[in-house]
Amino acid sequence: MRRIFSNGPEGDYVRNPLDRLIAGGAQFQFASPYFNATAPVESVSAAGRPLHLLIGLNEATRPDAVAKARRAPGVTVRYLTSRFHAKIYLSDRAALVGSSNLTSAGLEGNREGVLLLDRPEDFEAIEQLRAVFQNLWDSAPSLTDAVFERFERTWLGTRQPGPTRDELIAEAVGKAEPATILVGSAQKSRQRLFLDTLHRQIYEQYQPAFDDITGILVERNLRRPELEGVGLANETNRFLNWVRLTHAPGEAAWVQATVRAPEVRRAEVARLGAEWAATTDNKVPAVYIPWLDNVRRVFGDREELSRASREALTEGLMSLHAFTEQQRHVLRGEKALPAEFWSVNGSDVAKVRSSILELVHGAGDFSERLHDFLYDPKKKVQHIGRFTALELYGTVRPDDCPPVNGRMAKALRYLGYDVLAA
């Protein structure tokens, strides 16, 4: 059987072995510096298989193709901007490696040289390629909404004399290049490590998991009428709350849970969703909708938040589950929590207000603002940790970040999603 493909006159198109690789695999890893052909990505997604897609952000990569890939279920996208030339297409069983980018020209138009590895004796070479991909993947940032918007705006911008478009794109999104013998040996800063980790948690773990569950609940009409109007993200939040309290109480259930295959996971979500839709004990507190209203009223509008009183800030924070969970560490519990909060923050209403205002309504990337909120002494607010901040922001801005807290994360882990739960 043919091993070399070159888009030659005899019809040995690279797309043919790539299609076979996709048809025979269960999980995939693609690395392509140039990207404009979405059909292979959409085929993987339509089959319900997970795909790690590593692309270059440059003049040859089209924003419309990137947007399609980012929307495709099961597809996780990271990017590099320079020193990235590897073209690798891996499944759990086979690999393609050579000169072809994931472009229409690379798959059919250009003369290329691509080797198919799919024989038993190819196992070691495939695993070596997998290690190369993993090294590249670990070097690459997540492609967030903010980064994509800057890439698209720069790519579509009017050409001007001076820097190349590739240079302008790298400046707009931030240089991202893989470690090599000559480059990248320096240790990442604590801030960069935090930002990389947070990007991946939000955009590669929590958000895809929320979207997956929301899609299943909506498609099968597994909804609770009493939650009409709260928004889909908050409906999913309440379903996960029920899962955690009903099926995964304590620590053992989620700690011992294994990551499940997507089709197994979705079947379990559908099964539990049907149970949740029919139960008389939905675990939704009677005050849940007033809590949501409090959070949105106090924190959702910049002008309202900029003049919020101590009492209003307290009411808004006490409507967040992650915040009230701290009552376990406060003498006399929840009733004493507000006094403890203001005491450890020196009763500095102006600082608390301005710090939350910057976190929720500030400019730039949310994860960078969250880093400053948690670690900058000038902005840090005691007793508002990572999950409280994520729940607050996700409740106000569910399109940017799901309303996740520790309870939701543990429920996701119990369901078999590969997320950080502690």
Side-chain angles (χ1 to χ4, degrees):
M1 183 176 290
R2 182 184 291 274
R3 300 261 280 170
I4 303 294
F5 297 83
S6 66
N7 297 330
E10 63 272 29
D12 59 335
Y13 294 115
V14 175
R15 64 175 168 79
N16 292 330
L18 182 58
D19 287 345
R20 292 202 301 272
L21 181 140
I22 291 170
Q27 54 187 4
F28 302 89
Q29 299 161 308
F30 294 171
S32 178
Y34 297 166
F35 176 61
N36 65 37
T38 60
V41 172
E42 292 171 312
S43 293
V44 173
S45 177
R49 306 304 187 191
L51 166 62
H52 284 179
L53 176 64
L54 177 61
I55 60 174
L57 294 188
N58 48 58
E59 186 172 16
T61 293
R62 293 188 57 87
D64 55 344
V66 178
K68 282 186 178 180
R70 296 182 73 232
R71 290 194 299 266
V75 179
T76 303
V77 185
R78 294 186 187 176
Y79 71 94
L80 295 166
T81 60
S82 58
R83 298 181 182 271
F84 171 38
H85 296 277
K87 294 89 173 176
I88 301 171
Y89 307 96
L90 288 154
S91 75
D92 48 321
R93 300 179 181 180
L96 284 168
V97 61
S99 63
S100 289
N101 281 289
L102 205 54
T103 62
S104 55
L107 298 181
E108 293 185 302
N110 290 344
R111 287 308 300 268
E112 305 283 358
V114 174
L115 172 66
L116 172 64
L117 300 172
D118 64 349
R119 299 176 180 176
E121 62 267 27
D122 294 331
F123 175 80
E124 184 175 346
I126 292 171
E127 291 307 300
Q128 289 174 0
L129 281 174
R130 204 179 307 282
V132 171
F133 180 92
Q134 191 61 48
N135 181 269
L136 292 168
W137 184 255
D138 290 342
S139 299
S142 297
L143 185 50
T144 65
D145 289 343
V147 170
F148 175 74
E149 288 167 6
R150 293 197 294 270
F151 165 64
E152 182 179 44
R153 184 169 58 248
T154 305
W155 195 93
L156 294 172
T158 304
R159 288 179 178 272
Q160 299 289 344
T164 66
R165 182 160 292 181
D166 284 355
E167 290 170 338
L168 292 172
I169 289 170
E171 180 181 358
V173 305
K175 181 183 288 188
E177 56 187 23
T180 67
I181 293 174
L182 300 177
V183 178
S185 60
Q187 292 290 329
K188 287 185 177 181
S189 68
R190 184 179 75 167
Q191 179 177 0
R192 176 59 188 271
L193 286 169
F194 174 89
L195 293 175
D196 286 350
T197 300
L198 184 65
H199 278 153
R200 292 165 187 175
Q201 287 172 4
I202 294 175
Y203 301 110
E204 297 180 10
Q205 297 180 15
Y206 300 139
Q207 188 70 65
F210 259 69
D211 290 346
D212 191 39
I213 292 172
T214 300
I216 294 167
L217 297 180
V218 170
E219 179 184 351
R220 297 171 182 260
N221 197 30
L222 304 175
R223 315 281 293 277
R224 300 288 313 194
E226 63 271 31
L227 294 176
E228 183 178 359
V230 304
L232 291 176
N234 287 308
E235 284 192 48
T236 299
N237 172 291
R238 289 300 88 192
F239 167 69
L240 291 170
N241 179 73
W242 174 83
V243 169
R244 167 71 167 144
L245 296 178
T246 304
H247 291 277
E251 298 300 293
W254 70 267
V255 169
Q256 297 173 8
T258 58
V259 176
R260 301 182 183 186
E263 60 273 17
V264 176
R265 195 169 57 212
R266 290 175 186 141
E268 181 67 0
V269 170
R271 184 184 72 80
L272 292 178
E275 184 180 332
W276 181 65
T279 186
T280 58
D281 184 13
N282 60 20
K283 304 297 184 185
V284 179
V287 293
Y288 176 67
I289 293 179
W291 282 349
L292 283 182
D293 292 340
N294 286 341
V295 174
R296 291 165 172 166
R297 173 177 52 81
V298 175
F299 303 116
D301 181 81
R302 171 186 280 275
E303 294 303 317
E304 287 294 325
L305 178 54
S306 68
R307 54 177 177 264
S309 65
R310 171 172 169 157
E311 291 72 26
L313 292 169
T314 302
E315 184 178 18
L317 290 171
M318 292 295 290
S319 298
L320 296 166
H321 169 77
F323 183 81
T324 59
E325 274 286 278
Q326 298 173 93
Q327 66 181 286
R328 295 175 298 172
H329 311 297
V330 175
L331 190 64
R332 299 197 314 278
E334 185 173 336
K335 290 184 178 179
L337 183 55
E340 170 71 12
F341 170 78
W342 288 110
S343 175
V344 298
N345 284 292
S347 295
D348 192 342
V349 176
K351 178 185 176 182
V352 170
R353 184 170 53 217
S354 65
S355 293
I356 297 177
L357 184 68
E358 174 67 18
L359 174 72
V360 178
H361 298 287
D365 188 89
F366 166 63
S367 59
E368 294 180 9
R369 302 199 306 273
L370 178 56
H371 172 273
D372 293 344
F373 183 84
L374 296 177
Y375 294 112
D376 185 342
K378 295 179 181 178
K379 298 180 179 180
K380 182 174 178 59
V381 177
Q382 301 294 330
H383 283 346
I384 300 184
R386 177 169 59 100
F387 274 127
T388 300
L390 286 171
E391 183 181 356
L392 191 164
Y393 187 77
T395 301
V396 173
R397 301 278 186 87
D399 291 338
D400 291 345
C401 172
V404 65
N405 56 37
R407 182 177 288 179
M408 308 315 67
K410 290 170 182 176
L412 289 171
R413 193 73 186 83
Y414 168 76
L415 290 170
Y417 289 90
D418 188 7
V419 303
L420 182 68

